[in-house]
Each structure stands twice: as C-alpha cells, then as structure tokens.
Amino acid sequence: MSSRLPVFPWDRLEPYKATAAAHPDGIVDLSVGTPVDPVPGLIREALVAAADSPGYPTVWGTPALRDALVDWVGRRLGATGAGHRNVLPVVGSKELVAWLPTQLGLGPGDRVAYPRLAYPTYEVGARLCGATPEVYDDPTELDPAGLKLLWLNSPSNPTGRVLAKDELIRIVAWARRHGVLIFSDECYLELGWEAEPVSVLHPEVCGGTYEGLVAVHSLSKRSNLAGYRAAFIAGDEAVLGELLAIRKHGGMMVPSPVQAATVAALGDDVHVAEQRARYAARRAALRTALEGHGFRIEHSEASLYLWATRDESCWETVARLAGLGILVAPGDFYGEAGERFVRVAFTATDERVDAAVKRLADAG
C-alpha cells in the first residue's frame, strides 16, 4: 500500500532543520504551521468537565454538538436551512481528506482533482484508494468524464489565495451540470486578511441547496486545537449520510471530551478575534522583514502563511534561511509549480517571530 504514495515530504527537510537548530539563538521554525498559543480557557474547562466519559461516543456526535455545528454554519458561513443531517464531526480534517475517496467508494478508473498548488494529502487520498489524482488551474477546464471528486481549497494552503464569490458560483454551476461532487476545504476561512473568504454553502454560491456540495472545517487554526483533532464537514445530507454509515462501521468517533470542547469553542467568538489579532501582528512583522530581505510575496491574502519567493530554487531559499536559523517549507512540497517559492508560517511565538525579523534585518 505505501508504494502507492509519494515520499513523505517533511523527511527531506531534516538536514535544513539541523542547520537552523544550530543557530546560537536557536531555531525559528516557520515550516509546519502548528499552533503554539495556549488553548483558550473556556475550551479546556469544557474538556475537563467532560473527562468522566466512560462510555463510547457516537460517530454522529451528541445532539449538543450537532446543534453547535448547525448554529455555527448558519452564523459564520451564512448557510440557511441546515439541520443535523447536514453536519458530521470528523477526527481532524487530515483524516477526512486522506480517507474520503476510499469512503466514497472510489477506485481505479475514477479521478480526483485538486489545485496545482495544494495540500499534499489530496493526492494521498486518491492514491490510497487507487484512483487517479489530477491537478488543475481552473477546474471547469477539466474533462468531467470519470471525475468523481473535485477538491476546492479557499483560502489556499500553501498560497493563501481566496476564490472570489463569482468564481465559486461558476465552479459550482459547472460541477452540478456534470454531476461532479465538490468538497471545499475551508479550514482557513476565519483567517482572511486582505480578502473575505466565502463558503460554498453561502446561499449566493449554492443557490439555497447543498446538493453536490460539502464544506470541510477545522478548529485547529481558529481555536488552537490541532492537538484535539476537532473538525467537521457540512453540506449535502445524502453524501454525509453515506459517510456516517461507513464511519460507524469504521469506529471513527471523536472522543466525548473533544466533542464537548468543540461545542464550547464554536459558541465563543471572542477567543477567535484575540487569536486573529496575534496572527495579524506576526504576519505584518514577517511580511515587512521578508520584503526587506528581497522577497516578493504573492497571494497570501488569507490563511496562516506567506507565499514568498526570491526568484530562485526553493531549496536555495530554504538553505539560505536555515543559515539564519529560520526554517521554512519549500514550495515544491505542494506541487512542481511551487519550485521557486517557500511557504512561511506565522504561527511561531511573538519572541521567535521577533528573532526572525531581527535576523533578516541584520542579514540585509
């Protein structure tokens, strides 16, 4: 099975990580993009309060969790008319992305499409079930024959690009004409900086019906819950119903304390605004420092990353920055089109971001 998969990309970064770690002032790791700030207190309190959970959780989640999911997609995404059958918790979004084609029953002869620059797990998911992975620049230019799953990703990882509402409307209309199922990865939707991300479940995009559309959301970024594996999908009840039936057999259950923590997290917007403010300050500082060091920033209007280039091989840039004790992700991790870019996360602590800014300034 593993022979179907590409080499795990992060292993290739280890020598550069060692170089960066040898810096006298320590490494500034801007590569993976993992949250570093504390889990908000109200979420931890909810987790602890639900710690005495000796029984099995359900795959569909508690009624309270489903209520919270329905309320959030209505309040935050503008989705109308959603009910419990339109939501489903999942054990982190990466698990969902990797195993979705398999759970949809796809296999040899089926095609799974995703952006030319993209999160590598879209390709992994296709390969795990034997389907054919395919990249696109504009999905409406794909041959719809045999295309069973179309991944959208807005805001994008790695580029931070946001698909405008008109683009989404056009893509959804095309997919529905050809019977192509859309899964829209919207995990960075709360983190728009120079653009306001829109969900495929927004009524102006979906036309008031979720047919053929599913949105993927995560609490990892907005609430610092990467360690909790708290995520969910929302949309077409026929698709979610099939996934629920399959996931019940597979025992894919979000732990009861995490379900309770998710309810608390989705019900509070204050901690989201506070975390956004932290990221906004780090983003501004790093962007200024990178541009002062000769980088050009493209897209990056949303998400937790700056998509940066010095118009050289991404590995030259990685080596250059590793020499300053700064570790970034090479752009070719996300596709050949990224070979002259690096992805710079702004999820490090304020102290480490300040260190990176100083090193870039001192290096000229």
Side-chain angles (χ1 to χ4, degrees):
M1 175 69 82
S2 64
S3 62
R4 295 179 182 175
L5 305 180
V7 175
F8 188 63
W10 295 97
D11 291 344
R12 296 168 56 199
L13 203 56
E14 285 301 315
Y16 302 93
K17 185 174 184 178
T19 297
H23 190 279
D25 185 40
I27 188 173
V28 179
D29 192 342
L30 307 178
S31 61
V32 177
T34 188
V36 298
D37 299 302
V39 173
L42 83 162
I43 299 175
R44 284 181 280 159
E45 290 165 10
L47 184 83
V48 171
D52 185 14
S53 297
Y56 289 111
T58 66
V59 172
W60 200 11
T62 63
L65 175 58
R66 284 178 256 144
D67 283 343
L69 297 177
V70 168
D71 175 74
W72 188 85
V73 300
R75 178 167 50 85
R76 185 61 188 87
L77 306 184
T80 55
H84 283 199
R85 294 185 182 278
N86 300 108
V87 295
L88 179 65
V90 296
V91 193
S93 57
K94 184 168 186 175
E95 167 264 304
L96 182 278
V97 173
W99 292 107
L100 177 66
T102 298
Q103 292 175 9
L104 290 173
L106 306 190
D110 296 325
R111 293 160 53 230
V112 175
Y114 49 88
R116 187 172 300 280
L117 282 166
Y119 183 47
T121 311
Y122 303 137
E123 177 186 358
V124 167
R127 293 190 181 281
L128 280 171
C129 71
T132 301
E134 185 171 341
V135 299
Y136 65 78
D137 295 306
D138 178 346
T140 66
E141 295 177 356
L142 292 166
D143 179 358
L147 180 59
K148 297 299 179 64
L149 174 61
L150 173 62
W151 279 107
L152 303 182
N153 181 208
S154 175
S156 162
N157 174 16
T159 69
R161 183 189 172 208
V162 172
L163 294 176
K165 186 187 296 181
D166 288 348
E167 287 183 271
L168 289 173
I169 292 170
R170 178 175 61 84
I171 293 167
V172 166
W174 176 87
R176 284 176 167 166
R177 278 200 307 274
H178 297 288
V180 176
L181 174 63
I182 287 179
F183 265 68
S184 179
D185 181 346
E186 303 172 354
C187 287
Y188 296 92
L189 183 134
E190 298 268 28
L191 297 163
W193 309 111
E194 297 162 11
E196 186 61 40
V198 178
S199 173
V200 293
L201 303 187
H202 191 284
E204 292 181 22
V205 175
C206 72
T209 171
Y210 304 137
E211 182 183 357
L213 303 175
V214 179
V216 181
H217 286 273
S218 168
L219 282 76
S220 294
K221 318 302 183 186
R222 72 185 292 280
S223 300
N224 301 332
L225 295 189
Y228 283 46
R229 310 315 300 135
F232 63 94
I233 54 179
D236 189 329
E237 68 175 87
V239 176
L240 268 59
E242 281 293 301
L243 291 174
L244 174 59
I246 292 164
R247 292 170 70 85
K248 282 179 178 178
H249 283 291
M252 305 184 90
M253 301 171 283
V254 175
S256 296
V258 174
Q259 293 190 30
T262 300
V263 173
L266 292 177
D268 178 71
D269 294 331
V270 173
H271 77 276
V272 180
E274 292 173 347
Q275 189 60 45
R276 275 182 55 88
R278 293 187 192 103
Y279 284 142
R282 294 167 186 165
R283 176 182 183 272
L286 282 170
R287 179 166 194 152
T288 298
L290 288 166
E291 289 176 336
H293 194 68
F295 281 89
R296 186 177 72 256
I297 308 298
E298 293 195 0
H299 301 304
S300 306
E301 59 255 34
S303 83
L304 288 178
Y305 314 107
L306 294 168
W307 188 238
T309 181
R310 287 175 56 100
D311 293 310
E312 63 188 7
S313 161
C314 60
W315 289 100
E316 287 182 43
T317 306
V318 167
R320 179 194 304 273
L321 292 176
L324 300 178
I326 301 169
L327 189 67
V328 298
D332 67 2
F333 277 12
Y334 308 95
E336 292 181 4
E339 64 185 0
R340 297 178 74 81
F341 286 80
V342 293
R343 192 194 74 170
V344 184
F346 41 90
T347 53
T349 63
D350 292 343
E351 184 274 332
R352 286 290 82 188
V353 168
D354 290 344
V357 168
K358 184 176 186 303
R359 293 175 198 180
L360 289 165
D362 290 346

mmCIF file of all heavy atoms in Angstrom, residues 178-219:
data_model
loop_
_atom_site.group_PDB
_atom_site.id
_atom_site.type_symbol
_atom_site.label_atom_id
_atom_site.label_comp_id
_atom_site.label_asym_id
_atom_site.label_seq_id
_atom_site.Cartn_x
_atom_site.Cartn_y
_atom_site.Cartn_z
ATOM 1 N N HIS A 178 -22.352 18.645 -14.513
ATOM 2 C CA HIS A 178 -21.669 17.412 -14.894
ATOM 3 C C HIS A 178 -21.710 16.331 -13.809
ATOM 4 O O HIS A 178 -21.067 15.289 -13.965
ATOM 5 C CB HIS A 178 -20.214 17.726 -15.253
ATOM 6 C CG HIS A 178 -20.073 18.632 -16.443
ATOM 7 N ND1 HIS A 178 -20.324 18.217 -17.731
ATOM 8 C CD2 HIS A 178 -19.731 19.947 -16.537
ATOM 9 C CE1 HIS A 178 -20.136 19.224 -18.565
ATOM 10 N NE2 HIS A 178 -19.781 20.283 -17.873
ATOM 11 N N GLY A 179 -22.446 16.571 -12.742
ATOM 12 C CA GLY A 179 -22.581 15.568 -11.695
ATOM 13 C C GLY A 179 -21.292 15.296 -10.935
ATOM 14 O O GLY A 179 -21.050 14.154 -10.496
ATOM 15 N N VAL A 180 -20.488 16.329 -10.744
ATOM 16 C CA VAL A 180 -19.212 16.187 -10.039
ATOM 17 C C VAL A 180 -19.379 16.649 -8.591
ATOM 18 O O VAL A 180 -19.866 17.756 -8.338
ATOM 19 C CB VAL A 180 -18.101 17.014 -10.726
ATOM 20 C CG1 VAL A 180 -16.803 16.937 -9.932
ATOM 21 C CG2 VAL A 180 -17.896 16.528 -12.155
ATOM 22 N N LEU A 181 -18.994 15.811 -7.655
ATOM 23 C CA LEU A 181 -19.095 16.129 -6.235
ATOM 24 C C LEU A 181 -17.969 17.086 -5.822
ATOM 25 O O LEU A 181 -16.794 16.816 -6.095
ATOM 26 C CB LEU A 181 -19.013 14.844 -5.404
ATOM 27 C CG LEU A 181 -18.970 14.996 -3.880
ATOM 28 C CD1 LEU A 181 -20.251 15.650 -3.360
ATOM 29 C CD2 LEU A 181 -18.757 13.621 -3.228
ATOM 30 N N ILE A 182 -18.329 18.178 -5.154
ATOM 31 C CA ILE A 182 -17.347 19.143 -4.655
ATOM 32 C C ILE A 182 -17.180 18.993 -3.151
ATOM 33 O O ILE A 182 -18.168 18.998 -2.398
ATOM 34 C CB ILE A 182 -17.782 20.598 -4.959
ATOM 35 C CG1 ILE A 182 -17.625 20.908 -6.449
ATOM 36 C CG2 ILE A 182 -16.974 21.601 -4.132
ATOM 37 C CD1 ILE A 182 -18.067 22.326 -6.822
ATOM 38 N N PHE A 183 -15.932 18.853 -2.717
ATOM 39 C CA PHE A 183 -15.567 19.033 -1.318
ATOM 40 C C PHE A 183 -14.699 20.280 -1.256
ATOM 41 O O PHE A 183 -13.673 20.366 -1.937
ATOM 42 C CB PHE A 183 -14.817 17.826 -0.762
ATOM 43 C CG PHE A 183 -15.700 16.836 -0.054
ATOM 44 C CD1 PHE A 183 -16.632 16.094 -0.753
ATOM 45 C CD2 PHE A 183 -15.610 16.666 1.318
ATOM 46 C CE1 PHE A 183 -17.459 15.185 -0.114
ATOM 47 C CE2 PHE A 183 -16.444 15.767 1.977
ATOM 48 C CZ PHE A 183 -17.365 15.017 1.265
ATOM 49 N N SER A 184 -15.126 21.253 -0.455
ATOM 50 C CA SER A 184 -14.427 22.530 -0.357
ATOM 51 C C SER A 184 -13.719 22.621 0.992
ATOM 52 O O SER A 184 -14.367 22.695 2.039
ATOM 53 C CB SER A 184 -15.420 23.683 -0.515
ATOM 54 O OG SER A 184 -14.768 24.930 -0.409
ATOM 55 N N ASP A 185 -12.396 22.582 0.957
ATOM 56 C CA ASP A 185 -11.587 22.680 2.170
ATOM 57 C C ASP A 185 -11.503 24.162 2.553
ATOM 58 O O ASP A 185 -10.805 24.938 1.919
ATOM 59 C CB ASP A 185 -10.198 22.098 1.893
ATOM 60 C CG ASP A 185 -9.285 22.122 3.112
ATOM 61 O OD1 ASP A 185 -9.614 22.819 4.088
ATOM 62 O OD2 ASP A 185 -8.246 21.458 3.074
ATOM 63 N N GLU A 186 -12.206 24.508 3.633
ATOM 64 C CA GLU A 186 -12.321 25.899 4.069
ATOM 65 C C GLU A 186 -11.733 26.101 5.463
ATOM 66 O O GLU A 186 -12.158 26.979 6.222
ATOM 67 C CB GLU A 186 -13.798 26.315 4.046
ATOM 68 C CG GLU A 186 -14.434 26.145 2.673
ATOM 69 C CD GLU A 186 -15.943 26.364 2.635
ATOM 70 O OE1 GLU A 186 -16.548 26.555 3.716
ATOM 71 O OE2 GLU A 186 -16.519 26.338 1.528
ATOM 72 N N CYS A 187 -10.710 25.315 5.791
ATOM 73 C CA CYS A 187 -10.191 25.297 7.158
ATOM 74 C C CYS A 187 -9.583 26.625 7.599
ATOM 75 O O CYS A 187 -9.427 26.866 8.800
ATOM 76 C CB CYS A 187 -9.161 24.177 7.304
ATOM 77 S SG CYS A 187 -9.901 22.526 7.327
ATOM 78 N N TYR A 188 -9.219 27.482 6.644
ATOM 79 C CA TYR A 188 -8.629 28.781 6.991
ATOM 80 C C TYR A 188 -9.626 29.930 6.803
ATOM 81 O O TYR A 188 -9.225 31.090 6.746
ATOM 82 C CB TYR A 188 -7.381 29.032 6.140
ATOM 83 C CG TYR A 188 -6.261 28.049 6.400
ATOM 84 C CD1 TYR A 188 -6.144 26.883 5.651
ATOM 85 C CD2 TYR A 188 -5.330 28.276 7.403
ATOM 86 C CE1 TYR A 188 -5.137 25.967 5.899
ATOM 87 C CE2 TYR A 188 -4.310 27.369 7.664
ATOM 88 C CZ TYR A 188 -4.227 26.222 6.907
ATOM 89 O OH TYR A 188 -3.224 25.316 7.161
ATOM 90 N N LEU A 189 -10.899 29.620 6.706
ATOM 91 C CA LEU A 189 -11.892 30.638 6.374
ATOM 92 C C LEU A 189 -11.942 31.780 7.397
ATOM 93 O O LEU A 189 -12.233 32.915 7.043
ATOM 94 C CB LEU A 189 -13.265 29.979 6.238
ATOM 95 C CG LEU A 189 -14.414 30.899 5.816
ATOM 96 C CD1 LEU A 189 -15.245 30.256 4.713
ATOM 97 C CD2 LEU A 189 -15.320 31.200 7.013
ATOM 98 N N GLU A 190 -11.641 31.498 8.659
ATOM 99 C CA GLU A 190 -11.666 32.543 9.689
ATOM 100 C C GLU A 190 -10.477 33.485 9.587
ATOM 101 O O GLU A 190 -10.392 34.460 10.340
ATOM 102 C CB GLU A 190 -11.672 31.896 11.077
ATOM 103 C CG GLU A 190 -12.877 31.017 11.369
ATOM 104 C CD GLU A 190 -14.005 31.783 12.033
ATOM 105 O OE1 GLU A 190 -14.115 32.999 11.802
ATOM 106 O OE2 GLU A 190 -14.762 31.150 12.784
ATOM 107 N N LEU A 191 -9.522 33.188 8.700
ATOM 108 C CA LEU A 191 -8.261 33.919 8.676
ATOM 109 C C LEU A 191 -8.065 34.653 7.354
ATOM 110 O O LEU A 191 -7.064 34.486 6.669
ATOM 111 C CB LEU A 191 -7.105 32.955 8.954
ATOM 112 C CG LEU A 191 -7.164 32.320 10.354
ATOM 113 C CD1 LEU A 191 -6.277 31.094 10.428
ATOM 114 C CD2 LEU A 191 -6.782 33.327 11.422
ATOM 115 N N GLY A 192 -9.031 35.473 6.991
ATOM 116 C CA GLY A 192 -8.893 36.344 5.826
ATOM 117 C C GLY A 192 -8.286 37.669 6.240
ATOM 118 O O GLY A 192 -8.701 38.265 7.241
ATOM 119 N N TRP A 193 -7.285 38.128 5.501
ATOM 120 C CA TRP A 193 -6.593 39.376 5.838
ATOM 121 C C TRP A 193 -6.897 40.481 4.829
ATOM 122 O O TRP A 193 -7.314 41.563 5.187
ATOM 123 C CB TRP A 193 -5.080 39.128 5.909
ATOM 124 C CG TRP A 193 -4.725 37.964 6.770
ATOM 125 C CD1 TRP A 193 -4.217 36.754 6.368
ATOM 126 C CD2 TRP A 193 -4.893 37.856 8.187
ATOM 127 N NE1 TRP A 193 -4.050 35.911 7.439
ATOM 128 C CE2 TRP A 193 -4.448 36.567 8.569
ATOM 129 C CE3 TRP A 193 -5.369 38.723 9.170
ATOM 130 C CZ2 TRP A 193 -4.478 36.124 9.891
ATOM 131 C CZ3 TRP A 193 -5.389 38.292 10.486
ATOM 132 C CH2 TRP A 193 -4.951 37.015 10.833
ATOM 133 N N GLU A 194 -6.677 40.188 3.554
ATOM 134 C CA GLU A 194 -6.901 41.182 2.503
ATOM 135 C C GLU A 194 -8.072 40.794 1.611
ATOM 136 O O GLU A 194 -8.309 41.413 0.578
ATOM 137 C CB GLU A 194 -5.620 41.344 1.675
ATOM 138 C CG GLU A 194 -4.448 41.877 2.498
ATOM 139 C CD GLU A 194 -3.109 41.629 1.828
ATOM 140 O OE1 GLU A 194 -3.099 41.235 0.647
ATOM 141 O OE2 GLU A 194 -2.084 41.825 2.495
ATOM 142 N N ALA A 195 -8.771 39.751 1.995
ATOM 143 C CA ALA A 195 -9.966 39.302 1.275
ATOM 144 C C ALA A 195 -10.875 38.622 2.290
ATOM 145 O O ALA A 195 -10.413 38.123 3.313
ATOM 146 C CB ALA A 195 -9.595 38.331 0.155
ATOM 147 N N GLU A 196 -12.165 38.589 2.007
ATOM 148 C CA GLU A 196 -13.133 37.950 2.889
ATOM 149 C C GLU A 196 -13.547 36.616 2.271
ATOM 150 O O GLU A 196 -14.313 36.573 1.303
ATOM 151 C CB GLU A 196 -14.363 38.835 3.078
ATOM 152 C CG GLU A 196 -15.351 38.296 4.097
ATOM 153 C CD GLU A 196 -14.767 38.160 5.489
ATOM 154 O OE1 GLU A 196 -14.000 39.052 5.914
ATOM 155 O OE2 GLU A 196 -15.081 37.151 6.155
ATOM 156 N N PRO A 197 -13.026 35.488 2.793
ATOM 157 C CA PRO A 197 -13.359 34.185 2.215
ATOM 158 C C PRO A 197 -14.854 33.881 2.312
ATOM 159 O O PRO A 197 -15.517 34.260 3.280
ATOM 160 C CB PRO A 197 -12.538 33.206 3.069
ATOM 161 C CG PRO A 197 -11.444 34.034 3.670
ATOM 162 C CD PRO A 197 -12.051 35.377 3.895
ATOM 163 N N VAL A 198 -15.356 33.205 1.289
ATOM 164 C CA VAL A 198 -16.769 32.837 1.220
ATOM 165 C C VAL A 198 -16.869 31.313 1.120
ATOM 166 O O VAL A 198 -16.094 30.674 0.411
ATOM 167 C CB VAL A 198 -17.444 33.482 -0.009
ATOM 168 C CG1 VAL A 198 -18.905 33.070 -0.107
ATOM 169 C CG2 VAL A 198 -17.320 34.998 0.061
ATOM 170 N N SER A 199 -17.829 30.738 1.814
ATOM 171 C CA SER A 199 -18.039 29.293 1.786
ATOM 172 C C SER A 199 -18.890 28.878 0.586
ATOM 173 O O SER A 199 -19.729 29.650 0.110
ATOM 174 C CB SER A 199 -18.744 28.849 3.075
ATOM 175 O OG SER A 199 -19.116 27.487 3.009
ATOM 176 N N VAL A 200 -18.692 27.650 0.135
ATOM 177 C CA VAL A 200 -19.573 27.121 -0.913
ATOM 178 C C VAL A 200 -20.998 26.935 -0.401
ATOM 179 O O VAL A 200 -21.930 26.782 -1.195
ATOM 180 C CB VAL A 200 -19.074 25.775 -1.494
ATOM 181 C CG1 VAL A 200 -17.779 25.948 -2.261
ATOM 182 C CG2 VAL A 200 -18.958 24.717 -0.421
ATOM 183 N N LEU A 201 -21.179 26.962 0.919
ATOM 184 C CA LEU A 201 -22.516 26.808 1.486
ATOM 185 C C LEU A 201 -23.257 28.136 1.606
ATOM 186 O O LEU A 201 -24.422 28.156 2.015
ATOM 187 C CB LEU A 201 -22.427 26.147 2.872
ATOM 188 C CG LEU A 201 -21.742 24.778 2.930
ATOM 189 C CD1 LEU A 201 -21.882 24.179 4.324
ATOM 190 C CD2 LEU A 201 -22.293 23.822 1.886
ATOM 191 N N HIS A 202 -22.602 29.229 1.260
ATOM 192 C CA HIS A 202 -23.288 30.520 1.268
ATOM 193 C C HIS A 202 -24.416 30.476 0.241
ATOM 194 O O HIS A 202 -24.234 29.974 -0.872
ATOM 195 C CB HIS A 202 -22.303 31.643 0.929
ATOM 196 C CG HIS A 202 -22.845 33.010 1.153
ATOM 197 N ND1 HIS A 202 -23.745 33.604 0.288
ATOM 198 C CD2 HIS A 202 -22.635 33.913 2.147
ATOM 199 C CE1 HIS A 202 -24.057 34.801 0.730
ATOM 200 N NE2 HIS A 202 -23.398 35.022 1.858
ATOM 201 N N PRO A 203 -25.591 30.980 0.589
ATOM 202 C CA PRO A 203 -26.737 30.851 -0.338
ATOM 203 C C PRO A 203 -26.507 31.462 -1.707
ATOM 204 O O PRO A 203 -27.057 30.977 -2.701
ATOM 205 C CB PRO A 203 -27.880 31.556 0.411
ATOM 206 C CG PRO A 203 -27.241 32.324 1.520
ATOM 207 C CD PRO A 203 -25.983 31.613 1.864
ATOM 208 N N GLU A 204 -25.691 32.516 -1.807
ATOM 209 C CA GLU A 204 -25.436 33.109 -3.118
ATOM 210 C C GLU A 204 -24.551 32.213 -3.981
ATOM 211 O O GLU A 204 -24.528 32.359 -5.207
ATOM 212 C CB GLU A 204 -24.789 34.488 -2.955
ATOM 213 C CG GLU A 204 -25.718 35.526 -2.351
ATOM 214 C CD GLU A 204 -25.063 36.882 -2.217
ATOM 215 O OE1 GLU A 204 -24.071 37.148 -2.937
ATOM 216 O OE2 GLU A 204 -25.518 37.676 -1.380
ATOM 217 N N VAL A 205 -23.829 31.299 -3.339
ATOM 218 C CA VAL A 205 -22.987 30.355 -4.075
ATOM 219 C C VAL A 205 -23.747 29.075 -4.386
ATOM 220 O O VAL A 205 -23.737 28.578 -5.517
ATOM 221 C CB VAL A 205 -21.703 30.030 -3.274
ATOM 222 C CG1 VAL A 205 -20.888 28.946 -3.993
ATOM 223 C CG2 VAL A 205 -20.864 31.283 -3.063
ATOM 224 N N CYS A 206 -24.421 28.534 -3.387
ATOM 225 C CA CYS A 206 -25.067 27.221 -3.554
ATOM 226 C C CYS A 206 -26.501 27.325 -4.058
ATOM 227 O O CYS A 206 -27.125 26.298 -4.364
ATOM 228 C CB CYS A 206 -25.017 26.435 -2.250
ATOM 229 S SG CYS A 206 -26.127 27.061 -0.950
ATOM 230 N N GLY A 207 -27.042 28.546 -4.106
ATOM 231 C CA GLY A 207 -28.406 28.700 -4.589
ATOM 232 C C GLY A 207 -29.464 28.175 -3.643
ATOM 233 O O GLY A 207 -30.577 27.848 -4.057
ATOM 234 N N GLY A 208 -29.102 28.073 -2.364
ATOM 235 C CA GLY A 208 -30.071 27.628 -1.370
ATOM 236 C C GLY A 208 -30.209 26.131 -1.245
ATOM 237 O O GLY A 208 -31.043 25.640 -0.476
ATOM 238 N N THR A 209 -29.402 25.360 -1.980
ATOM 239 C CA THR A 209 -29.412 23.909 -1.857
ATOM 240 C C THR A 209 -27.986 23.405 -1.740
ATOM 241 O O THR A 209 -27.077 23.928 -2.389
ATOM 242 C CB THR A 209 -30.097 23.228 -3.057
ATOM 243 O OG1 THR A 209 -29.888 21.804 -2.971
ATOM 244 C CG2 THR A 209 -29.513 23.705 -4.379
ATOM 245 N N TYR A 210 -27.783 22.383 -0.902
ATOM 246 C CA TYR A 210 -26.445 21.836 -0.675
ATOM 247 C C TYR A 210 -26.132 20.652 -1.581
ATOM 248 O O TYR A 210 -25.115 19.978 -1.395
ATOM 249 C CB TYR A 210 -26.286 21.413 0.789
ATOM 250 C CG TYR A 210 -26.572 22.515 1.773
ATOM 251 C CD1 TYR A 210 -27.314 22.268 2.921
ATOM 252 C CD2 TYR A 210 -26.116 23.807 1.550
ATOM 253 C CE1 TYR A 210 -27.583 23.283 3.826
ATOM 254 C CE2 TYR A 210 -26.388 24.824 2.439
ATOM 255 C CZ TYR A 210 -27.115 24.559 3.580
ATOM 256 O OH TYR A 210 -27.376 25.566 4.462
ATOM 257 N N GLU A 211 -26.984 20.402 -2.550
ATOM 258 C CA GLU A 211 -26.792 19.244 -3.426
ATOM 259 C C GLU A 211 -25.405 19.262 -4.079
ATOM 260 O O GLU A 211 -25.004 20.242 -4.708
ATOM 261 C CB GLU A 211 -27.856 19.228 -4.519
ATOM 262 C CG GLU A 211 -27.747 18.025 -5.457
ATOM 263 C CD GLU A 211 -28.775 18.063 -6.572
ATOM 264 O OE1 GLU A 211 -29.605 18.997 -6.593
ATOM 265 O OE2 GLU A 211 -28.741 17.164 -7.433
ATOM 266 N N GLY A 212 -24.649 18.179 -3.876
ATOM 267 C CA GLY A 212 -23.338 18.041 -4.501
ATOM 268 C C GLY A 212 -22.240 18.853 -3.858
ATOM 269 O O GLY A 212 -21.137 18.949 -4.424
ATOM 270 N N LEU A 213 -22.496 19.419 -2.665
ATOM 271 C CA LEU A 213 -21.521 20.299 -2.020
ATOM 272 C C LEU A 213 -21.293 19.901 -0.566
ATOM 273 O O LEU A 213 -22.260 19.690 0.187
ATOM 274 C CB LEU A 213 -22.006 21.750 -2.035
ATOM 275 C CG LEU A 213 -22.334 22.392 -3.376
ATOM 276 C CD1 LEU A 213 -22.914 23.777 -3.162
ATOM 277 C CD2 LEU A 213 -21.079 22.453 -4.245
ATOM 278 N N VAL A 214 -20.032 19.836 -0.186
ATOM 279 C CA VAL A 214 -19.669 19.604 1.215
ATOM 280 C C VAL A 214 -18.506 20.529 1.560
ATOM 281 O O VAL A 214 -17.534 20.625 0.805
ATOM 282 C CB VAL A 214 -19.266 18.142 1.486
ATOM 283 C CG1 VAL A 214 -18.885 17.951 2.954
ATOM 284 C CG2 VAL A 214 -20.409 17.186 1.109
ATOM 285 N N ALA A 215 -18.603 21.219 2.694
ATOM 286 C CA ALA A 215 -17.535 22.091 3.189
ATOM 287 C C ALA A 215 -16.813 21.397 4.334
ATOM 288 O O ALA A 215 -17.431 20.724 5.159
ATOM 289 C CB ALA A 215 -18.102 23.422 3.654
ATOM 290 N N VAL A 216 -15.496 21.576 4.373
ATOM 291 C CA VAL A 216 -14.652 20.980 5.418
ATOM 292 C C VAL A 216 -14.124 22.096 6.306
ATOM 293 O O VAL A 216 -13.553 23.077 5.816
ATOM 294 C CB VAL A 216 -13.468 20.218 4.797
ATOM 295 C CG1 VAL A 216 -12.604 19.580 5.885
ATOM 296 C CG2 VAL A 216 -13.955 19.168 3.802
ATOM 297 N N HIS A 217 -14.302 21.935 7.622
ATOM 298 C CA HIS A 217 -13.843 22.944 8.574
ATOM 299 C C HIS A 217 -13.102 22.308 9.735
ATOM 300 O O HIS A 217 -13.348 21.152 10.089
ATOM 301 C CB HIS A 217 -15.017 23.781 9.075
ATOM 302 C CG HIS A 217 -15.506 24.752 8.057
ATOM 303 N ND1 HIS A 217 -14.970 26.014 7.917
ATOM 304 C CD2 HIS A 217 -16.434 24.620 7.080
ATOM 305 C CE1 HIS A 217 -15.569 26.627 6.919
ATOM 306 N NE2 HIS A 217 -16.457 25.808 6.387
ATOM 307 N N SER A 218 -12.207 23.088 10.309
ATOM 308 C CA SER A 218 -11.340 22.604 11.392
ATOM 309 C C SER A 218 -11.246 23.657 12.481
ATOM 310 O O SER A 218 -11.306 24.863 12.205
ATOM 311 C CB SER A 218 -9.943 22.312 10.834
ATOM 312 O OG SER A 218 -9.015 22.116 11.880
ATOM 313 N N LEU A 219 -11.069 23.192 13.721
ATOM 314 C CA LEU A 219 -10.848 24.102 14.840
ATOM 315 C C LEU A 219 -9.365 24.237 15.173
ATOM 316 O O LEU A 219 -8.998 24.938 16.101
ATOM 317 C CB LEU A 219 -11.620 23.640 16.075
ATOM 318 C CG LEU A 219 -13.117 23.968 16.066
ATOM 319 C CD1 LEU A 219 -13.895 23.042 15.144
ATOM 320 C CD2 LEU A 219 -13.702 23.910 17.469
#
